[in-house]
């Protein structure tokens, strides 16, 4: 095949998210991050609706958000360990909140827009990893609690946080994790 890209195939065969606790600073600078966002935006997008947007959270914002997140988790009835874990996730060098922002369309159902946004999250992780950064796609209380996300990430009532993409300098190589049994997950219909 003339269009085979062995380097890309090798990347996909070995890609591994890097947990935020294994990242250090610095994170990408604004120009580097703009390049990553540009690469990530090359996703399937039926109708060219762009049903997503980015909120980039730098260190100053993340440091201010950590105690607010801790308090919100406690106020929601979770224990101190859960609150501390949620707040510790704000230690990443940079976090990009990928916001699902659906567009009213008579042709493109919202479900396809959700899928495009999910593809964008993975595209951003892969762009960061391929560029040499550590990266991981997480959610957690900051993303899933609509009130917190509206108050602290500036999302509108009709929007949702699809993912918090943590990006920073790679630390130690994370251990490999078990992978799916593809034969057990695949049905062939000749």
């Amino acid at each position: 095949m003339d269009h085979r890209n062995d380097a890309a195939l090798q990347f996909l065969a070995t890609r591994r998210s890097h947990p935020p606790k294994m990242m250090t600073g610095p994170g990408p600078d604004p120009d580097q991050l703009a390049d990553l966002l540009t690469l990530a935006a090359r996703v399937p997008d039926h109708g060219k609706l762009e049903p997503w947007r980015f909120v980039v959270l730098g260190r100053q914002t993340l440091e201010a958000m950590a105690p607010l997140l801790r308090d919100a988790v406690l106020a929601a009835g979770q224990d101190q360990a859960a609150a501390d874990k949620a707040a510790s996730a704000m230690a990443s060098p940079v976090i990009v909140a990928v916001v699902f922002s659906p567009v009213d369309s008579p042709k493109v159902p919202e479900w396809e827009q959700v899928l495009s946004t999910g593809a964008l999250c993975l595209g951003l992780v892969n762009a960061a990893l391929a560029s040499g950064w550590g990266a991981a796609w997480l959610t957690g209380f900051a993303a899933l609690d609509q009130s917190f996300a509206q108050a602290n990430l500036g999302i509108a009532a009709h929007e949702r946080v699809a993912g918090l993409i943590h990006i920073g300098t790679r630390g130690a190589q994370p251990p490999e994790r078990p992978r799916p049994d593809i034969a057990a997950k695949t049905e062939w219909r000749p």
Side-chain angles (χ1 to χ4, degrees), residues 11-123:
F11 168 77
L12 292 172
T14 60
R15 73 158 297 283
R16 175 74 174 93
S17 295
H18 288 256
K21 65 184 175 186
M22 298 180 80
M23 290 181 215
T24 63
D29 66 32
D31 290 336
Q32 292 167 320
L33 196 50
D35 289 343
L36 297 177
L37 298 176
T38 300
L39 293 170
R42 295 183 63 91
V43 295
D45 179 14
H46 187 192
K48 299 181 185 87
L49 298 179
E50 300 171 9
W52 33 258
R53 63 187 186 85
F54 306 108
V55 178
V56 178
L57 308 171
R59 281 305 322 138
Q60 184 177 343
T61 298
L62 292 168
E63 287 172 10
M65 190 178 294
L68 301 174
L69 182 55
R70 181 180 286 110
D71 292 346
V73 171
L74 290 170
Q78 296 186 39
D79 64 16
Q80 188 66 48
D84 291 343
K85 181 179 179 183
S88 72
M90 299 296 106
S92 293
V94 174
I95 296 176
V96 177
V98 177
V99 179
F100 169 58
S101 187
V103 177
D104 188 33
S105 170
K107 293 184 178 181
V108 183
E110 187 172 292
W111 177 240
E112 287 186 23
Q113 298 179 48
V114 169
L115 295 172
S116 178
T117 306
L120 182 109
C121 289
L122 181 58

Side-chain angles (χ1 to χ4, degrees), residues 133-160:
W133 298 102
W137 173 5
L138 303 176
T139 53
F141 189 93
L144 300 175
D145 186 88
Q146 190 70 1
S147 296
F148 185 86
Q150 286 178 332
N152 296 284
L153 299 174
I155 70 166
H158 74 286
E159 296 178 320
R160 300 285 305 193

